[in-house]
Every structure is written in C-alpha cells, then in structure tokens.
Amino acid sequence: MKRLQKTLALATAVATLAASQFALADTTVQLYTWREQDKALFDYINERHLIPGVKVNLNVYTEDIEAKLRIDMQTNRPDLYHAKAGSAWLQPWINAGVAAPVTDLGIDLSAFGEAALAGARGLDGEIYGVPFVMEMEAILYNKAVLDHEPATLEELEATFADLKAQGIIPLHVDGRDGWYLNQVLHETILAGMTSDEWAIGVVEGTTCFTDDIYVEAMERFVSWRDNGWLNPNPLADDYGAMRTGVALGTSAMMIDGIWSATPASPMYQIDPTLELGFMPIPGNAGKVYGFTDAHLAYNPNSDKMDAVQKVLEFYTTPQFTQLFADLVEAVPASNHPVDVSNERVQRAAEMISNNSLAAQPFFEDSLISVDPGYRPLVSEGMQQMLAGRISPRELAEKIQSGLNQAGYVGASNCAL
Amino acid sequence: MDKIFKLNKREQLLVQFIMLAWVAVVLIPFAAAVFNSLKPNVGQVLRDPFGLPDPWSWGNFAHAWVNANFAQYFMNSAIIAVSCVVIVVFCASTTAFVLARMPFRGSTFIFICFLIGVAIPIRLALAPLFDTVRNLGLLDSLLGVILVQSAAMMPVSVFILVSFMRNISKELEEAARMDGALPFTIYWRIIFPLMKPAIATIALLTFVQAWNEYFLPLIFLQSEELYPLTLGLQRFNQQFSIQWHMMFAGILIMMAPTLIAFMLASRQFIAGLTQGGVKE
Amino acid sequence: MSSTTSKPVHRISYRAVEIIQRNLLLAPGVLLYATFNFIPLLALFQLSLVNWPGIGPKVYVGFDNFTKVLTHPYYRDQMLNALIQNLVFFVVIIVCFLLIGTLLAMLLSVKTWGRKTYQVIFFLPYPMAGAAVAYLLDLFVHPRGPLNAALVQSGLLDSPFPFLGSEDTALITMSMFYTWHRMGFAIMLILSGILAVRSDLLEASMLDGASRWQSIRHVVFPVLGPAFILITVIVMVDVFNNADYVLLIMGPEAGPLRSTDIMGTFLFRTAFGGSADTTDTNFGMAAAIGLLTAIMILPAALFLALRNLRQQ
C-alpha cells in the first residue's frame, strides 16, 4: 500500500513536469455525466495533468442526461459519457452507432471482475465501457439519532416504535420520484426481505411476483406505514425532503444509496458533523442491493480518438482506482488493491462483495426489455401501494400481469 | 367608469377588503421567500417557516450569487429576451399589417398557416427543427436560440395584431394612400403608432415568454457560458435543492431584475396594456 | 414622379412599387416563421410514421404509433387520463381567470383608494420566470413549508395538508400555481376592455334608470367578449401544449399516481422518457400524440379565433 502511494506521488510529479511543457498541446474531451460527485475528481486530474496531453471537460446533467446526450450526439460533441448499467440502456446507443466495444481500442479489462463487467455488457456479449463505480442501496441512518443496528426485523420494528415515541420519524421514504420508487425503495426491500433464490428465479422466469415470499415482504413494509412508522404523506415528499429529514435528525432512517453518504452529498451542507451508518433491511435475506452503477463509454465517431483512448486507459489504472476511492469516496469497480483508509468505503466494498442480493431485477434484460416493462410497472405500483390504493397482493398481480402481457419469459409459470 | 360609479363608505371598505385579500395572496409567498432566504440554515426554515431569521444571514445571497454565476446567466437571458422582443415586434407588426390591410391572393392562406402555429407548439417538431438549426450552423449560439424563440412567438403575435388591426379605422390610411403614400410610409407613420397598445401587449408576452423559456435553450445550447437564467436556476437547484434557505435566495436573485425592471416600467407597461389591447 | 409622368403610367408604377414594398414588409416575418416553425411543423407528419428513440436509424412503422396510442390499453389509458386532466386543469384556470379576473378588473376600474398600487401588485407575479415561480410555490405548499406551518400553528389544521402529495388535490394545486402566476395578465386584458367602454353609453343607461348591475350587464359585459375570447384562446393553447410547471415540480412522471399528467407531460415522457424508465423513448409516438392534441384543440382554437375576428 505504501508503495502504491509513493508511485502515485511520483506519477503526479512526473505528470506535472511533463504537463508544464506540453500544457499548450492539451486536447479537451467532452465527457457527459449525471454524476455531480465526480467533479472534484476531474478538477484534480485536470489540474495535475494526470492524463498526459488530455483535459477532460465534465458536462453534468443530473436530470436530463439521456435527452441531452441524445441531442448533443447529433452534432458529435460528446467524446465520452458515463453510461448506466444494463444492456437495455446501451442498446439504443449501440444501434445508433455511438457506442462501441472498448476492446476495439485495445483497452485491457483484466483488472475487472465479472460482476463489474456485467453492467457494461451489451446483448452481443461485448463490453461497451470501463466500469468504475459500484453502488449499494440499504438503510441509511443518522448515527446521532440511532446508536445501534437492529439485527432482526422484530428488533427493527421495536426500534421504529421507540423512535416514534420520541417524536422522530423512524423511516423516511420519497414517494414522489419514479426512479426512487423502482430503483431504490423496491429493490432494497427485495434485497432485505426476499431471497437470492427468489430473485434469481424472477430473472429466469421460474419464480413469480405473486409468490408468498414477495407478497409477504411487501405486506411487512406496508404494515410499517400502517403503524405510523413512515413519514406521513410519503407522496408529498420528494428525494430532497427525505434526505433533509434524515440530515436534520427529525427522521432516523431512510432507504437510499450510499451515494448520499459521500462527501459531495448535499446532506453534509445541512449538517457538516453528520454521521451516516448503513445496514441491510434485516429480513429474510438480509442483504444489500449492490450493482455496477456506471461505466465509461465512448463515442466511436469522436475525432479525438487518441485522447479518448487515453482517458479510457486511465480509468483502468490503479492510480485512477485509488483517486476515485480517495476523492469521490465511493466504491471503485476494479480489482486493483486500494489503500482505503476510509472506513465507510471499506465497509461498503465488503458489503457489496459479500452480502448483496444475487440478482438485480432492475437491470435484467428479461424484465425490462418488454414494453411496458418492469420499471414503469414497479414505480407506478409502489406509488399506488404507498398511497393505500392497492394492497401488496394487488401490487404483485399488477406487476406480474403487466409483464405476462408483454411477453415475459416466465409468463407461463406465473399465469394469474 | 369611475365617473359613473361613486362608492359610498361601506362599499369602499368592502372593495378594499377584497383588494387586500388578493394582495395577500400575491405577496405572502414573496414574503415567505424573503424571510426564509435570510435564515442561517435549513433547520430554522423547517422549524418555523414564518419566524424571523436569527441571525439575519445576508451572506446567503452573496454565496448564491458567487456559486451560481448568476451574472453571466442574467446577461444571456437579457440578450435573448430583448432581441426576441425587437425581432417579434418588427416582424409580427409588418406581417400583420400586410395580412390585415393589404390582402392579396394567398394572404388568407398565409394567415391560416400562422393560426395553425398558434395551435401546434413548436416543441413538438423538435427533431425537424433541430435539423434546420444545425444545418444553418446556429447550434450552440445565442442567435439560434433567439431566432427559434422569436419564431415561436410569431403566430400568437400576428394573431393578436391582426385582430387588433381589424378594429382600427381605415380613414387615415386611405387618406394617406390617396396622397400617394407607399406601404412603408403608411406602416411607419400611421399603422405603427396606432398599434402601440397591441404592440405593448405582444412585446410583454414575448419578453415574458423568452425570459421564461426553459426547454428550447436546453435543447439548442450546449456551452454553459451561454445558459440563460432558467437553465442556471435548474443548475442551482441541482446543487442546493435540499438547502431551502439557499433555494429561496437563488429564486429571489432570479426574480430581482425582472421585479426591478417591472417596477420602473410598470406605469408604461400597464398604461400600454390598459389603453386597449382589445379595444372594441 | 409627379408632374412629368402621365396619370396612367404613374398609377402602374405606384402599384408596382406598392407590391414590392408589400412583399418586403411581408418577407421577414414569413421567412422567420416558415424556417423556424412552420416547415419543421410540417415534417411532423413524416415523423409520426416512424419509430425513433431520438438517435440512430428511424424505422418506418406506418400508422402504428397512432394505433398504439389509441388502442393499446397501456398508452390509451394514459392518453385519456392526460386528456381529461388537461381539461380539468384548463377549466379550473379559465373559470378563476374569468371570475376573479373580472371581479378584480371591475374593482380596479372604479375609484378605489390606492388602485394604482393595487394594479402594480396584482401584476407582479406575471413577469416572473416560470421556473422561479414553480420552485417558490413548491416550497411554499410543502408539508413542512410556510403555508402548512401557518395553517397548523393557527389551529386551522391538525396536521399538514399534502397539497401536491395527494392525487385528489395535486392537479388543483397545480392550476392554482398557474392562476397565481398569470392572473395579472387576465386582469389587465379585462381591465383594458372595461376602460374601452364608452362612458356616454354608460351614462345614458344610468340616466334611463338602470341599476349599476344592469348597466354593467348590458353595457360592460358585451364589450368584454373579445377580451374573454383572447384569454381563453391563449390559455387553452398554453395549457394543452406546455407543461413546464408539472415538469419542473413533478418531473415527467407527473405524480402522484399520474394525477398531474397532462398532454404536455405525456408527450414529454414519450419523447424523452420518464424518471422511472429512461430506455423507452419514441419521438415518432410523441409526434403522433402532438398531432392528436392539435387535432383536438385546433377546431376550438380556430373557431374562437375566427369568431373574434368576425365580430369586429
């Protein structure tokens, strides 16, 4: 580890020297992303000229990234972009000829495990980007309000009751945002309260949403609402309101991704001394939901291909991995050993590799490439269930029948 | 009207009550924004939204201003809005003048084309429009946004001006024509001055629309240096959405220039409008 | 060209110059509109016949987009829902504009104390940017925002009211936002109509012994027709096409439970994807939805517009 830091320092020094001579010749590449939190990293990289001869200009669009990317691709402006995981996301870009396998450029991917590469794999089996960040979704809690981690659902519920008695909202959820409902809330409940076998089965079409294990998980969650352990009017609160509540300590826990616990998270603007802990929902499976969040893809029509290649190569280096862990404080996707002094990053990395749900329905082609697919069905259904309009059983039937009608692989096993 | 309807004391009180009620509806959200933008942290905003700030944190505004690069956004918005007003006022008034006063074969057709534009919004035709703008080399330039936004305001402006023009009498114009005056002269000397109230209406509509437009700049601009305030505020929201006091400060900064411009020009604005945008 | 030219020649040349000048006057507006608006609009028909995610090759699908929107339950239900909610949205706004707007305009037209100040204040929100208004009012009505705090502290409510958080009230709250923002414009248009009423007619009616209310009804209201129609057309076109408030506050999912979904948000979601699912986008279907919307509102808009013109 020490050696690595030394090399890093040396590399920085050399790069700085080199850059001072060639600074004028820098090629600027346009990198499109929704990841606001990577800004500091690229400021650091650009300032120190860590990628020789290349400056990376980050174009951040947190909400409209796909629309913006689609539009700007028409003028061939993006050279590189952060792509979201899953072949369903990639396919339109591949069809349009603005995504191509990174192996075409001879990028060496030996530093990445299969789990990380899966998110960047297209339907044809090729790898279309360099994975760089793993994310995890779980219960995040404010340590100033909650000082222990309940180990079972019963303990968790006792804690809920206890918190409620103190006038604190035990569990805050965002009922407004579609992406939160399907990608975060629903999937974290799956990871905590269903099982690996069930999740794998759903992807393969052998188990069903109408199975008891799923319905019971959702019933348990709904009982939390009925006991008053969730925020009143969840549909009135958006993502910001949820995070504000936990940051202020008026709410104890929320179901969210660990990105909210990185230094760039606005929660620390509210309370710089905030300490967040995270744990799985301690149910049947008791797992967290870990996944490759993003990979770096490139535009094969870019006229700055040399620079593009350099940036992609940089993303595979131990140096990048270390910088990413240090500056973004998120879990890198590569297998390069990193010196993680940060306890939070270390724990998250361990949880992702040892204790995360075995399948990720949200990213699985068998579920989302049908139309209407898993994503809109789940987010609509979850919102209806939170509002008390449908029961957990009806939610399960809604998702299942929607998928069945659209030609889901398990339609015959799960006929209603 | 005021000469005819004299209000007695009791009526006057009733009227004042209604007026003040609406004043409250209008002003209370602004007041809430002002007080809360001066609070030191979001905790205070949430605990007691109507309480006074403690301490008064004027620094929020400086912080918001610096962080958000509002000066640049403001300049861009001003350039876009003012150019749109000039272009629309000129193009719509000349077109409306010809369509309303110098009909020829095909003029009804042209007018109907404009009416179709009133009913179908340009954002629907985004993809073809995008091609046009790209082929003209106007992508990622203020000029491109200005032309697109001006064109988007043309239908409604032409419609308002034509319907207004049908109401003004033709006597002056016909007299001028008898004297051999040509269209340019008639337009500039007679029609334009007569149309002033309606032009005030479309100028205001255009300004407000151009100032507010979020979608078209989002599509046609790529460099952040060219962003108008609407995109800037959205940027700001990404950064500060959970810091309510900062959000309020940002919103007020964005509103301030319009507010001041409006206060200064309110007499003319309202006079222009109430001189009869739709006279009988 | 006066004394030396004979009369017929003079006439022809006047006519020629007139036509040249007319065309010159017409050209800038027509060119601007045609290039950046009308011609792209025509291309919409073509676009509605393809499946295109906004990038890459366009796949010709004939009238599939139309059949899907009109018959496939998933899309048809969304379309109907959006259409009905759009109508509600429109009716609520226009009723507020015409009732409150007319009342306030009337009161502003008589001698009241401080009416100049009232005029300015009433008009105040209108020039504000929609984005700023949307964010401001969203925070204002939030369960933990100022309005709810005031209602709870004053004892009017026991617990915060979820204005935008309940599917029963979200759409109405959105129309109130719109009304709050644009009321000034409605007031001014109506006021300008009232001020145009000829006072001799009013005086005559009063002398005839008509009551105030009768005079208003018989002399003032008829004159307000064009103003009402203008407001109706502008608002109709605006609310059926633009959905900025909903997009900024609720996002393209138009929650809760699609209860604030209107044509603009449905169209946006189809073209650009919603926040729940960004992979399923189709510009072709969005164009089809746009054309259907236009077919629905075009007759109403044209009817009102032409009536407005013909009356004069």
Side-chain angles (χ1 to χ4, degrees):
Chain A
M1 301 291 178
K2 276 262 157 12
R3 203 180 47 123
L4 195 111
Q5 275 183 332
K6 259 188 203 157
T7 352
L8 211 146
L10 198 72
T12 314
V14 171
T16 319
L17 265 178
S20 57
Q21 281 171 326
F22 300 110
L24 282 176
D26 276 0
T27 315
T28 301
V29 291
Q30 304 293 341
L31 196 164
Y32 281 59
T33 183
W34 69 95
R35 292 178 55 86
E36 180 114 42
Q37 60 266 46
D38 289 0
K39 257 186 179 160
L41 172 66
F42 280 96
D43 286 346
Y44 186 93
I45 292 174
N46 285 335
E47 259 168 44
R48 287 168 184 73
H49 301 275
L50 297 186
I51 312 175
V54 180
K55 248 187 139 70
V56 179
N57 183 30
L58 213 58
N59 298 264
V60 186
Y61 298 94
T62 54
E63 312 247 321
D64 327 285
I65 180 68
E66 281 96 355
K68 199 61 191 159
L69 203 46
R70 233 173 253 137
I71 294 158
D72 289 4
M73 274 297 181
Q74 318 246 343
T75 47
N76 210 26
R77 185 169 186 270
D79 300 303
L80 291 147
Y81 51 97
H82 285 164
K84 293 187 178 169
S87 51
W89 194 92
L90 271 172
Q91 203 53 48
W93 309 95
I94 300 174
N95 291 347
V98 294
V102 285
T103 40
D104 287 4
L105 296 181
I107 305 294
D108 173 20
L109 294 170
S110 57
F112 300 90
E114 181 44 38
L117 290 176
R121 199 183 289 282
L123 280 176
D124 54 3
E126 299 277 358
I127 304 296
Y128 284 85
V130 180
F132 63 95
V133 59
M134 307 292 288
E135 290 289 7
M136 179 188 101
E137 293 162 0
I139 294 179
L140 269 69
Y141 61 92
N142 185 332
K143 286 189 174 169
V145 186
L146 183 67
D147 52 10
H148 66 287
E149 290 188 3
T152 63
L153 273 187
E154 289 67 34
E155 277 180 51
L156 178 69
E157 287 170 353
T159 311
F160 281 168
D162 199 33
L163 287 163
K164 194 190 175 194
Q166 296 172 45
I168 294 170
I169 295 171
L171 180 66
H172 209 122
V173 300
D174 157 18
R176 211 194 254 192
D177 297 293
W179 66 269
Y180 173 84
L181 290 165
N182 61 10
Q183 186 174 2
V184 184
L185 183 58
H186 185 259
E187 303 299 283
T188 309
I189 293 175
L190 293 188
M193 301 204 272
T194 63
S195 71
D196 281 342
E197 298 74 40
W198 181 84
I200 294 173
V202 149
V203 171
E204 291 171 350
T206 53
T207 54
C208 310
F209 287 90
T210 44
D211 292 350
D212 286 344
I213 188 169
Y214 176 82
V215 177
E216 277 161 17
M218 288 299 159
E219 274 167 353
R220 194 77 176 234
F221 174 70
V222 167
S223 77
W224 299 348
R225 183 202 63 198
D226 296 340
N227 284 318
W229 294 335
L230 302 186
N231 43 320
N233 306 319
L235 270 56
D237 279 342
D238 60 9
Y239 192 59
M242 173 181 88
R243 301 206 288 181
T244 308
V246 175
L248 288 172
T250 53
S251 307
M253 305 175 224
M254 62 182 176
I255 289 177
D256 198 5
I258 40 162
W259 55 80
S260 285
T262 59
S265 160
M267 293 179 75
Y268 297 101
Q269 294 167 3
I270 292 183
D271 179 3
T273 66
L274 173 73
E275 282 192 64
L276 289 168
F278 42 82
M279 60 177 179
I281 300 177
N284 186 33
K287 302 226 166 178
V288 298
Y289 198 83
F291 56 98
T292 314
D293 185 40
H295 54 100
L296 178 71
Y298 71 102
N299 174 6
N301 311 316
S302 163
D303 43 18
K304 300 167 195 153
M305 213 38 103
D306 283 348
V308 165
Q309 188 172 351
K310 280 185 193 159
V311 179
L312 284 165
E313 272 162 5
F314 185 71
Y315 259 66
T316 64
T317 59
Q319 185 188 9
F320 174 81
T321 308
Q322 184 68 46
L323 280 176
F324 191 76
D326 288 344
L327 291 174
V328 188
E329 294 193 22
V331 182
S334 79
N335 293 335
H336 290 303
V338 278
D339 176 16
V340 192
S341 50
N342 186 317
E343 190 212 343
R344 191 177 43 70
V345 177
Q346 203 157 19
R347 211 173 139 231
E350 277 162 21
M351 276 188 165
I352 292 173
S353 50
N354 304 330
N355 194 34
S356 76
L357 193 66
Q360 288 101 33
F362 184 81
F363 297 103
E364 291 298 340
D365 224 70
S366 58
L367 290 163
I368 59 181
S369 60
V370 292
D371 182 23
Y374 178 77
R375 294 177 177 184
L377 287 169
V378 167
S379 87
E380 272 177 46
M382 285 298 281
Q383 204 173 43
Q384 285 171 324
M385 190 177 78
L386 268 178
R389 291 261 298 264
I390 60 175
S391 67
R393 170 76 53 190
E394 285 163 330
L395 168 72
E397 284 165 2
K398 180 191 163 85
I399 298 174
Q400 193 67 57
S401 75
L403 289 173
N404 287 355
Q405 278 170 27
Y408 165 59
V409 313
S412 56
N413 290 333
C414 302
L416 290 171
Chain B
M1 289 267 284
D2 48 358
K3 290 182 206 100
I4 300 161
F5 293 122
K6 288 252 162 49
L7 297 177
N8 63 35
K9 270 261 165 61
R10 234 185 31 215
E11 287 165 335
Q12 184 69 263
L13 276 178
L14 180 68
V15 169
Q16 288 296 321
F17 177 77
I18 298 173
M19 298 289 217
L20 286 174
W22 191 255
V23 166
V25 170
V26 169
L27 289 187
I28 286 175
F30 284 118
V34 173
F35 282 122
N36 286 311
S37 67
L38 292 169
K39 292 183 178 172
N41 55 54
V42 66
Q44 228 181 72
V45 178
L46 293 178
R47 270 190 294 278
D48 186 12
F50 270 111
L52 289 180
D54 174 38
W56 294 69
S57 316
W58 299 95
N60 291 347
F61 284 89
H63 186 50
W65 180 266
V66 173
N67 257 282
N69 197 12
F70 273 118
Q72 177 80 51
Y73 298 143
F74 176 70
M75 260 322 277
N76 293 332
S77 273
I79 293 172
I80 294 175
V82 171
S83 316
C84 283
V85 168
V86 172
I87 294 176
V88 170
V89 163
F90 174 73
C91 292
S93 59
T94 49
T95 308
F97 163 58
V98 175
L99 292 181
R101 286 308 166 86
M102 311 181 69
F104 55 94
R105 206 184 326 161
S107 63
T108 318
F109 173 74
I110 294 180
F111 186 60
I112 286 175
C113 289
F114 275 102
L115 280 186
I116 289 174
V118 173
I120 313 180
I122 186 59
R123 18 180 115 185
L124 285 185
L126 204 66
L129 178 63
F130 191 86
D131 285 340
T132 310
V133 174
R134 185 182 48 194
N135 293 340
L136 292 172
L138 291 173
L139 267 190
D140 203 21
S141 71
L142 286 182
L143 182 62
V145 171
I146 290 168
L147 290 175
V148 168
Q149 289 193 197
S150 305
M153 281 309 289
M154 281 297 285
V156 120
S157 307
V158 168
F159 168 65
I160 292 176
L161 290 179
V162 167
S163 54
F164 178 81
M165 225 175 297
R166 304 231 163 141
N167 303 326
I168 42 182
S169 82
K170 293 188 177 170
E171 288 159 27
L172 269 175
E173 212 180 322
E174 267 153 17
R177 195 159 288 167
M178 289 299 182
D179 291 345
L182 284 160
F184 283 0
T185 326
I186 298 177
Y187 164 74
W188 187 241
R189 286 281 152 85
I190 298 173
I191 294 292
F192 196 81
L194 278 176
M195 278 201 291
K196 264 190 189 152
I199 284 179
T201 310
I202 64 157
L204 181 67
L205 267 177
T206 307
F207 184 87
V208 170
Q209 187 68 37
W211 190 264
N212 283 339
E213 184 63 54
Y214 163 77
F215 191 70
L216 295 173
L218 175 73
I219 303 298
F220 293 106
L221 293 179
Q222 298 171 337
S223 319
E224 206 168 329
E225 311 86 84
L226 298 177
Y227 276 10
L229 271 175
T230 40
L231 293 182
L233 189 67
Q234 211 234 357
R235 269 284 131 97
F236 187 76
N237 185 36
Q238 290 177 2
Q239 214 178 336
F240 290 104
S241 65
I242 70 174
Q243 300 246 67
W244 286 26
H245 55 302
M246 293 300 293
M247 269 312 285
F248 280 123
I251 290 170
L252 287 175
I253 289 179
M254 180 160 170
M255 288 179 164
T258 343
L259 208 68
I260 293 164
F262 170 66
M263 287 297 194
L264 293 177
S266 61
R267 288 246 155 142
Q268 285 86 329
F269 254 166
I270 291 173
L273 275 177
T274 50
Q275 259 166 32
V278 269
K279 249 185 195 154
E280 163 212 24
Chain C
M1 53 169 174
S2 50
S3 52
T4 51
T5 36
S6 65
K7 217 169 179 201
V9 176
H10 169 94
R11 260 187 157 169
I12 290 163
S13 77
Y14 173 84
R15 182 79 191 127
V17 176
E18 190 187 23
I19 287 174
I20 290 170
Q21 291 205 351
R22 181 194 75 198
N23 291 344
L24 282 176
L25 282 173
L26 194 60
V30 170
L31 268 180
L32 175 72
Y33 173 67
T35 317
F36 292 102
N37 206 322
F38 194 67
I39 294 173
L41 278 184
L42 291 180
L44 207 54
F45 292 97
Q46 213 186 335
L47 190 64
S48 69
L49 304 178
V50 301
N51 186 341
W52 187 49
I55 188 159
K58 299 184 173 94
V59 182
Y60 179 81
V61 293
F63 286 95
D64 259 20
N65 289 322
F66 291 94
T67 14
K68 235 179 172 179
V69 165
L70 294 173
T71 59
H72 189 298
Y74 182 75
Y75 296 101
R76 187 195 57 208
D77 293 353
Q78 285 189 62
M79 169 105 171
L80 278 178
N81 179 42
L83 183 65
I84 292 167
Q85 284 175 175
N86 213 149
L87 274 173
V88 173
F89 189 64
F90 168 67
V91 169
V92 171
I93 290 169
I94 206 71
V95 166
C96 286
F97 273 8
L98 296 187
L99 288 183
I100 303 177
T102 310
L103 172 70
L104 292 174
M106 287 282 179
L107 298 184
L108 282 175
S109 73
V110 295
K111 248 202 185 95
T112 36
W113 298 319
R115 75 172 163 180
K116 284 264 145 52
T117 318
Y118 286 133
Q119 269 188 10
V120 174
I121 293 175
F122 289 175
F123 202 67
L124 210 54
Y126 180 68
M128 300 293 141
V133 169
Y135 289 134
L136 171 63
L137 295 180
D138 181 31
L139 293 178
F140 188 68
V141 305
H142 190 274
R144 306 183 70 178
L147 182 59
N148 269 308
L151 290 172
V152 172
Q153 276 168 21
S154 65
L156 285 170
L157 286 181
D158 294 333
S159 58
F161 187 79
F163 288 97
L164 290 171
S166 148
E167 72 261 41
D168 302 323
T169 50
L171 187 67
I172 302 291
T173 309
M174 281 289 167
S175 33
M176 290 303 126
F177 287 4
Y178 190 100
T179 309
W180 184 86
H181 189 193
R182 310 286 172 102
M183 181 60 87
F185 190 65
I187 294 175
M188 289 310 143
L189 279 183
I190 298 171
L191 182 59
S192 75
I194 295 175
L195 294 182
V197 172
R198 285 160 51 193
S199 40
D200 53 330
L201 283 180
L202 258 184
E203 268 162 35
S205 124
M206 294 293 275
L207 284 178
D208 283 351
S211 71
R212 279 180 193 177
W213 173 241
Q214 282 167 335
S215 319
I216 289 174
R217 234 183 82 192
H218 297 298
V219 182
V220 179
F221 278 177
V223 181
L224 293 184
F228 287 166
I229 287 175
L230 189 63
I231 292 172
T232 310
V233 172
I234 291 180
V235 171
M236 185 192 324
V237 168
D238 195 41
V239 299
F240 274 93
N241 294 327
N242 298 339
D244 287 359
Y245 290 99
V246 184
L247 284 176
L248 280 164
I249 296 175
M250 292 299 183
E253 297 298 330
L257 303 174
R258 295 271 148 81
S259 63
T260 52
D261 202 14
I262 54 182
M263 295 311 285
T265 44
F266 179 41
L267 187 141
F268 186 93
R269 202 166 54 240
T270 314
F272 296 100
S275 89
D277 185 17
T278 49
T279 52
D280 176 27
T281 60
N282 182 355
F283 267 75
M285 191 186 284
I289 295 168
L291 283 175
L292 290 173
T293 317
I295 290 169
M296 282 180 288
I297 62 167
L298 199 60
L302 283 183
F303 171 74
L304 287 172
L306 292 174
R307 221 178 88 117
N308 186 27
L309 290 179
R310 227 173 277 140
Q311 262 185 357
Q312 297 137 25

